[in-house]
Each structure stands twice: as structure tokens, then as C-alpha cells.
Amino acid sequence: MFIKALIIGLISVFAMLDSRLLGRSNFERPLIVSTLVGVALGDITKGLMVGATLELMSMGLVNIGAAVATDMVLGSVIATAFAILSNTTAQAALTIALPIAVLGQLIGIVLRMVLSSLSHAAEHAIDNGKFKTALHYHIFWGTLLYSLMYFIPTFIAIYFGTGVVSDLVKQIPTWLTGGLTLASKILPAFGFALLMSTMLSKKTVIYLLLGFFITAYGGLSVTGVAIFAVILAFVLNEVLPKSHVNDNSGDTHEDDSGNSDDDLEEL
């Protein structure tokens, strides 16, 4: 269990560093990080199931200004490991993911308060010409503290294990478990609503309605609608603009000629 806890802890650190130090390759997304946990624990199918469910819940969650969203990386890693090691369903894993994601959010807020003091220390080091010290504050200490924030809770949860987590879940009242299960069904729709609120406009809403009614009344799967959507996007963005340019090319030439004649007459 020590090796598994160590590997899962390192996966959580890697997912966290994805957007903070390694660029952004979306390894921090619940679908990807849960799949990595599934690969490490030998159950890719359940990793995908838990990751897909958590991905739907977190699609509209973003950090805006000082508002910190729930930490779905920490929640996804521990929930997926719990589901695989305890041989439970994805729905049962959600009862672990949501509280841990909120806990990660609170820890993240406290950690950001600590890191803000490191920024002032780095500025002081720069004023004194200690550039290497300032670099250590930003690159080493900030990365180390963030890594410990993810590694320690993950390692403890996995190592001391599923038995402790299972006992904790058994202590949760039925009404609370039912409420979390209901929330897990509502949150995907809420995540989609948040996502669409940033994407929809008067020009694009017609395409949403088109896809919805095709799916509802045309008997096509979501995959089939997606294929038609890709073809339609290609036509609208590649074929129609080129045809429009070709149609107007003659008019443009005549206008240019007319303008040239007028200029000659003025001369």
C-alpha cells in the first residue's frame, strides 16, 4: 500500500504542476487525472467512469479573481483511488470527492496567503540584489509548498486507507448521502450552464437549438450530432467565406477601376 500511496501522491503533484510550472496540457482535468489513477491502480475503466462524472461537474468551475473554485484535482485523485481500492461505484466516490474538493479549496486559500508573504520576501531580495534568492522563493519554495499541499493529504488518505475512508463514509447520515447524490446529478447540468453562459450569443444559440432538437427528435446519438457539427463548422468557416470572396472579386475590380477613372478626371 505504501508504493500505491506514493504513486498516487506523485500523480496528484504532477497534475497540480501541469498549469503552474509545466505549461497547461490539461492533466489537471478530472477526466485525465482520474484515468492516470486508474492506470496506476490497474482499473482504467473505473478511472474513466469516475473521471467523466467529475469532469461534467467541474466544466464550469474556474478561478476568477480572488474567488477560488473547489479543488477538483485533489477530489478526483482521492475519489478515484477510493472507488478502485474499495471496489465501490462512481456515485459512492462522489461522496468523497465533494468534501475533499471543498477541503482542498480551503487549504488552497490558506496556502495562497502564505505564498503572498513569499512574494514580498522575493521583492525584498531583488531590492538587495539577491536574484538567486528571489528565484528560489518563486520557483522552489512556492512549488514545494504546493506539492506538499497535494501529496500529504493524498498519501495519508491512500496509505491509511480505504478502511478509514470507508468508516468515515459509514458515519455520514443517510440524508446527507442522499443530498450529495442528488447534487452530483444537478452539478453536471450546472457546469454546462456555466459553460454555455460564456459561449452562447444571439448568433450561436441557433446552433445549440439545432443540435438539441436533432438529438431529441432525430434519433441520433451525441456522437452523430458531433460529426455533423464538425462538418457544418468546416462549411461555415472554410467553404462559405471563400465563395463570398470570389463572388465579390469582380465588384472590387470594377470599383477600383471606377475610382481610378475618377482620379484621372480630377487630374
Side-chain angles (χ1 to χ4, degrees):
M1 187 60 69
F2 176 82
I3 299 300
K4 291 181 179 179
L6 180 63
I7 293 174
I8 302 305
L10 292 177
I11 289 176
S12 67
V13 173
F14 171 73
M16 177 275 300
L17 292 177
D18 174 54
S19 62
R20 292 179 173 86
L21 191 64
L22 305 177
R24 183 178 291 275
S25 301
N26 287 328
F27 284 104
E28 65 178 358
R29 299 304 305 173
L31 180 61
I32 305 300
V33 70
S34 295
T35 303
L36 292 177
V37 173
V39 172
L41 297 179
D43 194 342
I44 302 177
T45 301
K46 186 163 290 185
L48 283 169
M49 292 173 59
V50 177
T53 304
L54 296 176
E55 183 70 34
L56 289 174
M57 294 171 52
S58 62
M59 288 181 69
L61 297 178
V62 293
N63 295 334
I64 302 176
V68 180
T70 51
D71 195 333
M72 295 306 298
V73 173
L74 196 61
S76 300
V77 170
I78 296 178
T80 306
F82 166 76
I84 295 174
L85 295 176
S86 299
N87 195 26
T88 57
T89 63
Q91 293 295 329
L94 294 180
T95 61
I96 298 298
L98 295 177
I100 291 179
V102 174
L103 177 63
Q105 176 189 25
L106 298 177
I107 296 176
I109 293 173
V110 175
L111 184 61
R112 285 174 175 81
M113 295 172 61
V114 175
L115 292 178
S116 64
S117 63
L118 292 182
S119 298
H120 295 300
E123 290 177 357
H124 181 70
I126 292 173
D127 292 337
N128 294 330
K130 300 178 180 179
F131 300 109
K132 290 185 178 179
T133 302
L135 184 64
H136 287 163
Y137 280 127
H138 282 295
I139 302 300
F140 178 76
W141 289 108
T143 303
L144 178 64
L145 291 177
Y146 259 118
S147 299
L148 292 176
M149 168 191 164
Y150 284 80
F151 181 82
I152 292 176
T154 303
F155 182 87
I156 291 175
I158 305 304
Y159 184 73
F160 290 99
T162 56
V164 175
V165 178
S166 299
D167 293 338
L168 178 63
V169 173
K170 291 178 181 178
Q171 299 300 322
I172 299 176
T174 305
W175 61 268
L176 180 57
T177 305
L180 291 173
T181 302
L182 178 62
S184 68
K185 297 178 180 179
I186 296 175
L187 285 176
F190 180 67
F192 272 120
L194 289 175
L195 187 64
M196 288 190 297
S197 67
T198 62
M199 297 175 61
L200 287 182
S201 64
K202 293 181 179 179
K203 294 182 179 180
T204 60
V205 68
I206 185 63
Y207 301 108
L208 173 67
L209 296 176
L210 178 63
F212 173 78
F213 286 116
I214 290 176
T215 305
Y217 299 103
L220 293 178
S221 64
V222 176
T223 303
V225 175
I227 294 173
F228 281 109
V230 171
I231 296 174
L232 179 61
F234 179 80
V235 171
L236 293 176
N237 289 278
E238 297 294 333
V239 178
L240 293 182
K242 292 180 180 179
S243 345
H244 182 68
V245 170
N246 292 332
D247 292 339
N248 292 336
S249 59
D251 296 338
T252 304
H253 178 71
E254 292 177 359
D255 292 341
D256 293 341
S257 300
N259 292 336
S260 300
D261 293 341
D262 292 339
D263 293 337
L264 289 174
E265 290 178 359
E266 290 177 1
L267 292 174

